Amino acid sequence: MRTILILILLAFSNLSNAQLTDFFGKTIVHEIKLNKLDDGTYAGAMEWTTGGADSLQRFIINGLDVKTPVMVRIISKAPDHNIDLSFHKESWEKVESKVSTNGEKFVDKVFRTMNTAGIGVSSEVAEIPYLITVKTGLQFPSTQSLIRFTDDIEEYNQYVQTLGVSGNIISLESQKDSEAPEISLINKVDKENNLMYISIGLLIAIIILFVLFIFKKQKTKKLSIITIGICSFANTYAQSSQPRPIPISDKEPAVFIEYRSENVSNQVPINYTSPNHRPAEDRTVHLEGDDGTTHVVRLEPNQGSLELSGDAAAAVERRIREADEQFNEDYGANSPGEPTESDARILPDDLIHEELARLRNQVRRLQAQVDLLSQQDQHQEDEGEDEEPPILVYCEVKQDCKNCAMKPFNRFRKRHTYFMQLQRFYYRKRSDLNAAITSADALASVPGAGLGWSNIKLYQVRPAMEKLKLEYDKKFNQYISDMTLDIHAIEGCLATHSQTTSLFKTQATLMLANMRTSRITF
């Protein structure tokens, strides 16, 4: 009996950590919700205290795109004690990368990933106040060029020869342009359910009763059972408190300033005569924004906090500002690309070939300097980015073609960008859900560990996945239909201003057919 109990406890502990989230709720995870700011970036933050030795406090960020750089930072109020910040993708057992404060006031990391990132906070010392912040940059625009206009007949002849195409070009009858409805990407909805927590509560109650039963029957073996129980529930106990979400807006929250300028007194012996520290008191601070305006915030420090000296606080402030400015310069408003109705961005269309090539190289350089979080993300990075040669359209007067076709051409570019974003999101989301179900099925195979899973899977998880699939198919079909209309509108312009309409139609039909076959079906 003791052996069975030990196996159940260990299996429940290990298998439930096999994914970033589990349907049983044993792995307590706190989502850092991101709010969109006026400049198009997103930000979120949480304040908490460390759980101590052998504990991992788990946070999760959802809704990321592999083309979006993300900066995660942790600011500690006890820099004399180390805090580790680990990054996870497949499971909490596998660490993709790790950074540590190592005696510094803060540490940050910039990375890219698709959909979800797990962040673990751990320290050998408990009750250290810390602030974890997340900020995203603007998405990198796609470097693909699907259609390009030229008035260079030699360039076009070389292009035709590479296709092995010869013969006369037949113009097609112009088709009227039509407006399509506005597009928005699928919103990911992850809702907690009461049934899951009822199942968790019943399971924990059963295990506690089981332990008490063993205590009564086998008193000489109490020590081993208590040890196993403590090990199994150490992480849950460490997260018995709750982190405090920090509301984010375009104005910096007061708590950000507080963490940059204060430490807790219990990290070192209190010495109020030290020139570097003094008891922190409630106070107001005047802050100047990027637009030159000044606003006042009120600081209310934790009890026992010590305010850093002016020089020490200024040094921390300077280093954080430098890191923020570098991130904003590379991935903020001045980064390459133009905005669309969604978070996706596209390259300008009114550049000459050499300028466009330079801009593409800049995008590739910026992408290369931001590490992908995991090997999984490499697949998302490569998907559809093989830089296929664009469809080249010859016009005797290139500007006439562009003037006529620019409106449907721009719509097509944007919709194709949305289409690729949809493909990345759904592939990663579906893969994560399938992996989580596999993990939950394995956990449910352990006697007593999968209580309630069958009903959760049958009546909640599967219907939610079917709904997600229906929404994906709906958006997929809509994008294909709208892009087909855009192609027809471009053909109508070429019928008037170009003699390459027939070849363009053949290539565009093949391109749309390839898009249709890319539907994700698993």
Side-chain angles (χ1 to χ4, degrees):
M1 185 65 73
R2 178 171 65 100
T3 302
I4 294 175
L5 175 61
I6 292 173
L7 289 175
I8 290 176
L9 291 173
L10 291 179
F12 195 78
S13 177
N14 293 329
L15 289 175
S16 61
N17 283 304
Q19 298 293 319
L20 292 185
T21 57
D22 74 271
F23 292 105
F24 298 95
K26 192 272 177 186
T27 304
I28 303 174
V29 178
H30 307 278
E31 181 181 358
I32 302 177
K33 296 185 180 297
L34 303 181
N35 297 326
K36 191 170 186 177
L37 306 182
D38 288 345
D39 61 1
T41 62
Y42 289 79
M46 276 190 168
E47 178 188 13
W48 208 6
T49 58
T50 56
D54 300 322
S55 73
L56 181 70
Q57 294 173 322
R58 301 170 177 87
F59 299 88
I60 197 167
I61 313 170
N62 287 315
L64 302 176
D65 193 287
V66 74
K67 288 183 172 294
T68 303
V70 183
M71 180 169 66
V72 176
R73 171 181 294 152
I74 190 167
I75 307 177
S76 169
K77 280 200 174 184
D80 286 357
H81 301 296
N82 187 56
I83 297 180
D84 292 324
L85 197 62
S86 57
F87 297 85
H88 308 258
K89 187 62 181 180
E90 296 180 9
S91 70
W92 294 108
E93 298 295 335
K94 181 179 180 182
V95 177
E96 302 293 347
S97 64
K98 179 186 286 188
V99 294
S100 303
T101 54
N102 287 330
E104 299 291 342
K105 182 72 171 166
F106 75 97
V107 67
D108 51 38
K109 178 178 174 60
V110 179
F111 62 92
R112 291 185 290 129
T113 192
M114 189 65 206
N115 191 33
T116 302
I119 302 172
V121 176
S122 59
S123 175
E124 293 297 316
V125 180
E127 301 301 322
I128 298 176
Y130 67 83
L131 178 71
I132 183 168
T133 66
V134 179
K135 180 176 176 61
T136 74
L138 299 176
Q139 280 192 27
F140 294 118
S142 172
T143 57
Q144 283 186 299
S145 179
L146 298 177
I147 303 172
R148 187 166 67 85
F149 299 97
T150 183
D151 54 6
D152 188 335
I153 188 62
E154 292 185 3
E155 179 189 17
Y156 185 73
N157 285 336
Q158 292 176 359
Y159 167 74
V160 171
Q161 289 174 7
T162 62
L163 299 177
V165 177
S166 60
N168 296 326
I169 302 300
I170 303 175
S171 297
L172 297 178
E173 183 180 352
S174 177
Q175 299 187 34
K176 183 179 291 186
D177 185 16
S178 61
E179 294 294 333
E182 294 296 325
I183 296 174
S184 60
L185 291 176
I186 295 175
N187 292 323
K188 179 183 65 62
V189 180
D190 288 318
K191 295 184 178 180
E192 297 179 349
N193 56 79
N194 293 330
L195 178 59
M196 179 181 69
Y197 293 108
I198 293 173
S199 301
I200 302 310
L202 290 174
L203 180 58
I204 293 175
I206 291 172
I207 292 177
I208 292 174
L209 291 175
F210 202 8
V211 171
L212 293 175
F213 174 77
I214 296 299
F215 281 174
K216 290 182 180 181
K217 295 295 183 180
Q218 303 182 38
K219 294 182 179 180
T220 59
K221 299 176 181 178
K222 287 183 180 179
L223 182 60
S224 61
I225 297 175
I226 292 174
T227 301
I228 294 296
I230 291 175
C231 292
S232 299
F233 291 99
N235 285 335
T236 302
Y237 175 77
Q239 303 202 48
S240 57
S241 62
Q242 293 291 321
R244 182 172 73 94
I246 305 298
I248 299 294
S249 65
D250 290 283
K251 291 184 178 180
E252 188 174 49
V255 69
F256 282 33
I257 308 163
E258 176 188 328
Y259 269 82
R260 292 199 297 263
S261 61
E262 297 170 9
N263 286 337
V264 291
S265 60
N266 60 358
Q267 71 159 332
V268 291
I270 299 177
N271 181 9
Y272 292 140
T273 63
S274 170
N276 291 327
H277 298 88
R278 65 171 183 262
E281 301 175 349
D282 291 2
R283 64 190 190 279
T284 57
V285 177
H286 295 265
L287 296 180
E288 183 175 348
D290 295 335
D291 57 357
T293 60
T294 301
H295 62 283
V296 180
V297 296
R298 179 72 175 173
L299 300 185
E300 299 177 354
N302 303 102
Q303 186 176 1
S305 292
L306 299 177
E307 185 179 344
L308 299 181
S309 68
D311 291 342
V316 174
E317 180 77 20
R318 183 184 66 255
R319 291 174 53 222
I320 289 180
R321 290 294 182 191
E322 288 174 352
D324 288 343
E325 288 173 1
Q326 186 64 55
F327 184 84
N328 292 334
E329 179 181 347
D330 289 339
Y331 316 119
N334 295 326
S335 60
E338 295 180 342
T340 64
E341 287 80 3
S342 74
D343 294 330
R345 292 166 66 82
I346 57 176
L347 291 176
D349 63 317
D350 56 351
L351 302 178
I352 63 174
H353 184 63
E354 291 75 13
E355 291 176 340
L356 196 57
R358 179 187 57 78
L359 203 55
R360 287 198 185 99
N361 289 333
Q362 181 185 358
V363 172
R364 295 190 186 101
R365 178 181 58 80
L366 290 173
Q367 284 188 155
Q369 71 185 25
V370 182
D371 294 335
L372 294 171
L373 185 58
S374 71
Q375 190 65 34
Q376 289 182 358
D377 296 315
Q378 188 64 52
H379 173 76
Q380 298 291 315
E381 173 97 320
D382 295 338
E383 187 71 24
E385 293 290 338
D386 293 332
E387 201 59 39
E388 292 290 336
I391 298 176
L392 196 60
V393 178
Y394 173 73
C395 301
E396 290 186 1
V397 183
K398 182 171 68 173
Q399 195 58 45
D400 288 347
C401 282
K402 295 185 70 173
N403 289 342
C404 178
M406 190 54 61
K407 185 176 180 180
F409 176 62
N410 282 338
R411 285 203 308 266
F412 174 80
R413 292 171 64 227
K414 290 181 180 180
R415 284 163 176 163
H416 181 264
T417 301
Y418 301 156
F419 176 79
M420 296 305 298
Q421 192 176 34
L422 173 69
Q423 294 290 84
R424 292 194 303 271
F425 165 77
Y426 183 71
Y427 177 86
R428 184 71 266 148
K429 183 63 179 175
R430 192 77 182 192
S431 298
D432 289 346
L433 286 173
N434 286 337
I437 290 173
T438 300
S439 176
D441 286 341
L443 181 60
S445 66
V446 178
L451 185 65
W453 166 238
S454 295
N455 286 335
I456 294 174
K457 179 180 178 180
L458 181 61
Y459 296 110
Q460 297 185 45
V461 177
R462 287 301 183 189
M465 292 183 71
E466 287 300 320
K467 183 178 180 180
L468 179 65
K469 180 65 167 63
L470 290 173
E471 290 295 325
Y472 164 76
D473 286 337
K474 178 181 177 181
K475 280 296 178 186
F476 185 96
N477 294 335
Q478 179 182 339
Y479 286 137
I480 294 295
S481 175
D482 290 344
M483 286 189 289
T484 301
L485 292 175
D486 295 333
I487 291 296
H488 289 336
I490 295 173
E491 290 173 2
C493 286
L494 297 184
T496 304
H497 300 284
S498 173
Q499 295 180 333
T500 62
T501 309
S502 178
L503 181 57
F504 173 80
K505 180 179 180 181
T506 300
Q507 293 176 279
T509 300
L510 180 60
M511 177 177 63
L512 290 171
N514 289 335
M515 291 183 191
R516 290 189 183 93
T517 59
S518 68
R519 185 190 300 270
I520 300 170
T521 57
F522 71 91

